[in-house]
């Protein structure tokens, strides 16, 4: 597990990419803590697991592009501004005339926070295989996709699986996070399609809750056994504030999580994926990349929102060096 996970880059062209991500982005409205009456104010932010992930990768220095559909509405414009500010290439972001960009609301109550989505019939549900052209896959080293894109529509599911298959055919390393959302689809369908995607990818990136929902397992070790039984090649299993499990080439190892003062860990998994893939792209071993990603994800959990607190590379390096792990 100490060798570079990806083969070294050779002869990059000026438009070469490290990571292309495909999925749905949304605008977030987060109820301000401390003011929980019905008329309270909402702070606008951004979300969508794959968009969060690709921004996290870009903040670590990776060359990134995002593939999605957005509406020609104000929310779509905000997202485009965000990706441009973050250095994420938008050549494959399609603006759908008359389409709507998804949004969601985060409310805070005695039971913690709750998500309410306004995303049905969003522009991203119309994603097709043609939205991710072979010419884009030919420019990248890695492709990132999520189970949410398999769930939102059959067209988006087909686009995602097609991109994963074609990427594999041309030697692109494919990473897949199941991000299982029981409200988006019935579990037998989730099991079937997530299972297919997990077999197709090079690196499977579930959290323990995903495997609990998908496989009914109660421990990380049982979860890893299930992944192996599905024919998954490499699993990186995220277990919140505890540790990260790596199952690769028949060997299982763990990397501890970092202790931090947590404010909001809701986007930590997306930040973890982006940071991990950015490090794999530049030649880290799986274990080195996981340790870096755990540091980035821990830091991202110390602020509110899924995008704003994602640290840049310098902050992750400083955090690791403070802990004697530079
Ligand atoms: P997901 O969001 O995919 O369910 P997790 O909640 O396990 O994933 O979080 C992803 C990663 O973020 C973890 O593997 C860990 O490295 C980091 N992380 C999450 N919660 C915390 C926390 N409370 N303290 C420190 N690190 C955390």
């Amino acid at each position: 597990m100490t060798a570079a996970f990806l083969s070294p880059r050779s002869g990059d062209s000026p438009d070469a990419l490290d990571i292309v991500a495909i999925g749905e982005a949304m605008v977030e409205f987060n109820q301000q803590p401390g003011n929980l009456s019905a008329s309270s104010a909402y702070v606008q932010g951004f979300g969508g697991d794959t968009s969060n992930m690709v921004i996290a990768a870009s903040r670590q220095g990776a060359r990134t592009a995002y593939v999605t559909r957005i509406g020609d509405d104000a929310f779509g414009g905000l997202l485009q501004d965000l990706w441009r500010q973050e250095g994420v290439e938008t050549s494959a972001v399609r603006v759908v005339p008359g389409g709507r960009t998804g949004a969601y609301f985060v409310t805070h109550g005695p039971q913690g926070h709750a998500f309410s989505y306004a995303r049905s019939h969003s522009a991203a549900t119309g994603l097709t295989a043609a939205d991710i052209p072979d010419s884009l896959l030919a420019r990248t080293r890695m492709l990132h996709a999520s189970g949410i894109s398999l769930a939102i529509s059959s067209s988006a599911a087909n686009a995602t699986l097609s991109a994963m298959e074609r990427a594999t055919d041309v030697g692109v390393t494919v990473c897949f996070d199941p991000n299982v959302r029981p409200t988006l689809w019935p579990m037998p369908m989730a099991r079937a399609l997530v299972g297919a995607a997990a077999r197709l990818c090079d690196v499977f990136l579930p959290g323990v809750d995903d495997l609990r929902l998908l496989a009914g397992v109660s421990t990380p070790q049982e979860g890893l056994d299930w992944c192996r039984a599905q024919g998954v090649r490499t699993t990186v299993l995220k277990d919140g504030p505890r540790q990260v499990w790596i199952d690769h080439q028949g060997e299982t190892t763990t990397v501890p999580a970092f202790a931090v003062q947590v404010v909001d860990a809701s986007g930590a998994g997306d930040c973890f994926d982006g940071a991990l893939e950015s490090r794999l792209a530049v030649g880290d071993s799986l274990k080195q990349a996981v340790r870096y990603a755990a540091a980035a994800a821990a830091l991202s959990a110390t602020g509110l929102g899924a995008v704003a607190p994602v640290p840049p590379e310098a902050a992750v390096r400083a955090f690791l060096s403070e802990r004697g792990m530079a």
Side-chain angles (χ1 to χ4, degrees):
M1 254 181 230
T2 51
F5 188 75
L6 265 72
S7 51
R9 282 178 187 153
S10 63
D12 270 357
S13 60
D15 66 351
L17 295 164
D18 295 308
I19 302 164
V20 170
I22 180 170
E24 175 171 27
M26 285 175 286
V27 172
E28 175 186 275
F29 294 91
N30 203 320
Q31 193 179 26
Q32 280 188 287
N35 179 9
L36 303 180
S37 71
S39 61
S40 66
Y42 287 74
V43 175
Q44 188 254 303
F46 298 99
D49 58 345
T50 49
S51 173
N52 300 339
M53 174 277 170
V54 84
I55 290 168
S58 190
R59 286 194 189 173
Q60 311 317 308
R63 298 164 301 178
T64 59
Y66 193 48
V67 181
T68 193
R69 287 188 178 207
I70 51 177
D72 60 350
D73 51 10
F75 292 170
L78 290 174
L79 283 163
Q80 277 193 310
D81 291 346
L82 171 73
W83 296 318
R84 286 192 190 116
Q85 274 161 27
E86 297 288 345
V88 177
E89 186 190 298
T90 55
S91 65
V93 172
R94 180 152 169 217
V95 181
V96 179
R100 260 179 296 151
T101 309
Y104 66 98
F105 301 82
V106 188
T107 49
H108 302 268
Q111 314 314 333
H113 61 278
F115 292 87
S116 304
Y117 291 94
R119 74 186 320 175
S120 53
H121 309 295
S122 68
T125 60
L127 270 165
T128 70
D131 289 328
I132 180 157
D134 289 340
S135 56
L136 186 65
L137 293 175
R139 288 165 51 205
T140 189
R141 308 201 78 210
M142 309 178 81
L143 173 73
H144 178 87
S146 137
I148 290 179
S149 309
L150 302 181
I152 56 173
S153 72
S154 58
S155 176
N158 185 55
T160 305
L161 292 169
S162 157
M164 291 174 74
E165 281 178 1
R166 288 180 287 131
T168 303
D169 289 346
V170 294
V172 170
T173 298
V174 177
C175 302
F176 177 75
D177 185 329
N179 259 330
V180 178
R181 298 284 183 273
T183 48
L184 285 180
W185 53 350
M187 223 26 72
M189 274 176 72
R191 243 188 313 275
L193 279 197
V194 167
R199 274 186 291 282
L200 205 53
C201 71
D202 298 288
V203 186
F204 185 46
L205 294 164
V208 283
D209 289 341
D210 295 322
L211 296 185
R212 202 170 287 135
L213 288 162
L214 282 172
V217 295
S218 51
T219 67
Q221 192 59 61
E222 284 171 7
L224 292 179
D225 291 344
W226 181 84
C227 293
R228 279 192 193 185
Q230 300 296 304
V232 176
R233 290 191 284 276
T234 298
T235 302
V236 174
L237 174 58
K238 295 162 274 182
D239 189 9
R242 287 161 293 279
Q243 57 203 339
V244 183
W245 296 70
I246 307 171
D247 195 49
H248 179 55
Q249 293 175 340
E251 201 185 314
T252 304
T253 185
T254 56
V255 172
F258 290 90
V260 287
Q261 288 284 344
V262 173
V263 174
D264 172 14
S266 58
D270 306 332
C271 176
F272 181 96
D273 294 352
L276 176 86
E277 291 175 41
S278 74
R279 294 311 308 168
L280 295 180
V282 293
D284 273 13
S285 71
L286 206 46
K287 200 163 178 179
Q288 283 171 319
V290 164
R291 195 181 61 175
Y292 182 96
L299 279 173
S300 79
T302 61
L304 200 62
V307 172
V310 169
E313 181 179 8
V316 183
R317 291 280 170 221
F319 179 83
L320 282 167
S321 132
E322 276 162 26
R323 280 155 184 75
M325 295 182 181

